[in-house]
Amino acid sequence: MEYILIFITAIFVNNVVFSQFLGICPFLGVSKKVDTAMGMGAAVAFVLTLATIVTYIIQKFLLDAFGLEYLQTIAFILVIAALVQLVEIVLKKVSPALYQALGVFLPLITTNCCILGVAILVIQKDYDLFTGVVYAFSTALGFALALILFAGIREQLSLVKVPKGMEGMSIALVTAGLLAMAFMGFSGVDKGLAAVFGLN
């Protein structure tokens, strides 16, 4: 039940975009089409899950073992950068269309604070490896959900007449704010579920 609670909390209650405001750059940049948003969501899910496993191992068996905790951020960034390069090479071979659609935002996963933030949070929350992977994958699903919802709304907005002063990024930011407020409706769900399953 603890894993189900982490899963629901990471996706809805503490959504990485709408509650923690991480990963805003790709959220705004790759959300014009649902197809691109789904591709970016999948790429982030893959990198985030894999990065959490690798960074956890590095933290426990290298940094902690040799007293090099102060190198955590640099080590994690290097791991994330290497994994993004791997994803880039695979996407270029497997799906050139998606690779072209993601454009500059694929290398930007390297500097996506969502990836680094989750890798550090797993260590700070003192999760074991499996719990950390569940948390990372759930957070990635939350990011993908936010991205796809936002992309769907932006696709619909492109079909309607918007006042001239609200065109482009203005209406996108207002929409993002409304979505964030909608996700606030999930606050307290985690505490209710914890009480129901006796996980307090």
Side-chain angles (χ1 to χ4, degrees):
M1 286 303 162
E2 185 191 345
Y3 299 123
I4 294 169
L5 190 62
I6 288 170
F7 186 78
I8 291 168
T9 303
I11 294 174
F12 299 108
V13 182
N14 293 326
N15 185 282
V16 73
V17 176
F18 298 131
S19 295
Q20 299 178 50
F21 307 110
L22 296 172
I24 300 295
C25 177
F27 174 71
L28 292 172
V30 194
S31 58
K32 288 178 183 169
K33 291 185 178 177
V34 173
D35 293 345
T36 314
M38 287 172 74
M40 184 59 147
V44 167
F46 176 75
V47 172
L48 188 52
T49 307
L50 204 56
T52 302
I53 295 167
V54 177
T55 53
Y56 182 89
I57 292 166
I58 286 171
Q59 180 72 39
K60 296 296 176 188
F61 298 104
L62 186 67
L63 302 182
D64 287 353
F66 295 101
L68 301 170
E69 294 88 352
Y70 59 92
L71 291 174
Q72 183 189 63
T73 306
I74 295 168
F76 285 14
I77 288 171
L78 289 172
V79 167
I80 292 163
L83 289 172
V84 170
Q85 288 299 313
L86 179 72
V87 170
E88 210 170 337
I89 291 164
V90 170
L91 267 183
K92 203 170 186 178
K93 296 267 186 196
V94 175
S95 179
L98 181 59
Y99 176 79
Q100 289 293 327
L102 290 173
V104 72
F105 293 100
L106 188 59
L108 276 178
I109 294 177
T110 309
T111 55
N112 186 346
C113 52
C114 165
I115 311 279
L116 180 62
V118 170
I120 291 171
L121 278 171
V122 166
I123 304 301
Q124 285 179 350
K125 290 176 186 255
D126 204 25
Y127 286 149
D128 60 61
L129 183 58
F130 185 72
T131 309
V133 169
V134 169
Y135 174 72
F137 184 69
S138 305
T139 302
L141 287 181
F143 178 82
L145 174 70
L147 199 60
I148 292 163
L149 277 174
F150 191 53
I153 293 169
R154 283 185 80 178
E155 275 190 2
Q156 292 301 311
L157 282 171
S158 67
L159 303 174
V160 297
K161 194 173 181 183
V162 178
K164 198 164 181 68
M166 291 296 287
E167 285 175 357
M169 196 51 71
S170 302
I171 194 71
L173 290 171
V174 169
T175 306
L178 290 170
L179 270 172
M181 287 172 67
F183 267 72
M184 283 175 65
F186 292 111
S187 60
V189 169
D190 55 334
K191 290 178 183 133
L193 285 171
V196 167
F197 296 117
L199 294 170
N200 285 334

